[in-house]
Amino acid sequence: MVFDFLACSLATRISMIACSAVIIGCLFELLHLHGAGEMLLIGLSALAVGTVLGLICMLKDRERYSFFTGYLIRIVPIGLLGSYFFLRLPA
């Protein structure tokens, strides 16, 4: 019970902070600033961890953690946008 609450609480926090890091990384890439690759790598990795934790919580108890669906609506486009900019980086 406590683990479920802790995991789902962490999932939402990790996901939203990671979304911020990905958006800032995209802006760094658009402005050709140093550190865009690192920012996108950290943000996308954290976004993947948060999303997996959230999906596990949703699969365990769909009614209780249905609020994560709203977060997923934000996470997926930001993750796709970040992936596009990450793959666009020069090697």
Side-chain angles (χ1 to χ4, degrees):
M1 179 73 176
V2 173
F3 174 75
D4 290 340
F5 176 73
L6 182 64
C8 293
S9 177
L10 278 176
T12 56
R13 291 185 179 136
I14 289 172
S15 298
M16 292 302 109
I17 292 172
C19 282
S20 301
V22 169
I23 290 172
I24 291 171
C26 291
L27 290 174
F28 271 41
E29 172 61 26
L30 285 173
L31 296 172
H32 303 290
L33 297 174
H34 296 289
E38 292 84 358
M39 186 75 71
L40 285 170
L41 182 65
I42 292 169
L44 288 171
S45 300
L47 196 62
V49 169
T51 303
V52 167
L53 276 175
L55 287 174
I56 289 171
C57 289
M58 279 183 65
L59 290 176
K60 279 187 166 186
D61 191 1
R62 185 165 288 201
E63 290 180 14
R64 184 172 178 194
Y65 299 112
S66 62
F67 66 88
F68 199 74
T69 306
Y71 289 116
L72 282 176
I73 293 171
R74 287 178 243 164
I75 290 170
V76 171
I78 290 173
L80 291 174
L81 181 71
S83 299
Y84 169 74
F85 278 109
F86 185 71
L87 293 174
R88 214 179 88 172
L89 287 171

